[in-house]
Amino acid sequence: MKKACSFLKIFLSVFSLSSSPFFALLIVSNFSGVPKSYNSLFIGLAALYSLITAYNTRRSTVILPLNNYSRFIHEIRRQLNNMGYQSILCHDFEMKFMHPYKFSYYASDIIVKISYDRAIITGPKKTIKYLNTGVNMT
């Protein structure tokens, strides 16, 4: 239920921002010569863009086995810095990274919780998939 609520929240926020000018033009088109089909087409494109954005920013959690603590921390910081993320919070067993150009309601932050034998990474599914396949972090 929480994942569906998060998906809908992201979808509706992106859709409202991307389609609001076209809804305004749709209302004004009664008084101007702009065809309603153009505005309807752009509202449909805004809905498609919103679906893709909401799908790519779904939250995901990955649990990785951890053999070398210091190597893992160095590798995860390097990868996230290469992707444009900046470290916000950095403690011994918890790190938080955020992309400076992402909106906070997109849930774009990445949280890394480290114990002695595993690391739990939570973040956007697309970013986590890249981190999981791009680097051998164990």
Side-chain angles (χ1 to χ4, degrees):
M1 179 71 179
K2 186 176 179 182
K3 288 184 181 183
C5 182
S6 174
F7 181 82
L8 279 174
K9 182 176 143 183
I10 293 170
F11 170 76
L12 290 175
S13 61
V14 172
F15 181 70
S16 66
L17 287 174
S18 62
S19 65
S20 59
F22 303 112
F23 277 119
L25 287 174
L26 191 62
I27 293 169
V28 174
S29 68
N30 292 331
F31 307 111
S32 66
V34 178
K36 291 182 180 183
S37 60
Y38 290 154
N39 292 328
S40 300
L41 173 71
F42 286 119
I43 290 170
L45 290 174
L48 182 65
Y49 170 75
S50 302
L51 279 173
I52 291 169
T53 302
Y55 179 77
N56 286 336
T57 57
R58 290 181 301 159
R59 301 292 286 175
S60 177
T61 301
V62 175
I63 300 173
L64 298 172
L66 188 62
N67 294 332
N68 190 343
Y69 179 83
S70 61
R71 180 174 173 254
F72 173 78
I73 290 175
H74 174 70
E75 196 66 29
I76 193 86
R77 281 186 181 167
R78 185 183 63 79
Q79 275 295 329
L80 290 172
N81 283 335
N82 288 344
M83 293 170 59
Y85 282 84
Q86 296 174 349
S87 178
I88 294 176
L89 174 72
C90 201
H91 294 294
D92 290 340
F93 295 104
E94 183 176 3
M95 297 185 295
K96 185 174 183 179
F97 298 90
M98 183 147 207
H99 200 283
Y101 301 116
K102 304 282 184 179
F103 295 120
S104 62
Y105 58 83
Y106 277 6
S108 64
D109 57 333
I110 294 177
I111 299 170
V112 181
K113 294 183 181 181
I114 304 168
S115 66
Y116 293 105
D117 60 343
R118 68 180 175 196
I120 301 171
I121 304 172
T122 305
K125 187 171 188 161
K126 192 172 189 175
T127 305
I128 297 298
K129 184 178 178 184
Y130 177 77
L131 282 174
N132 197 21
T133 59
V135 177
N136 183 10
M137 293 186 278
T138 57

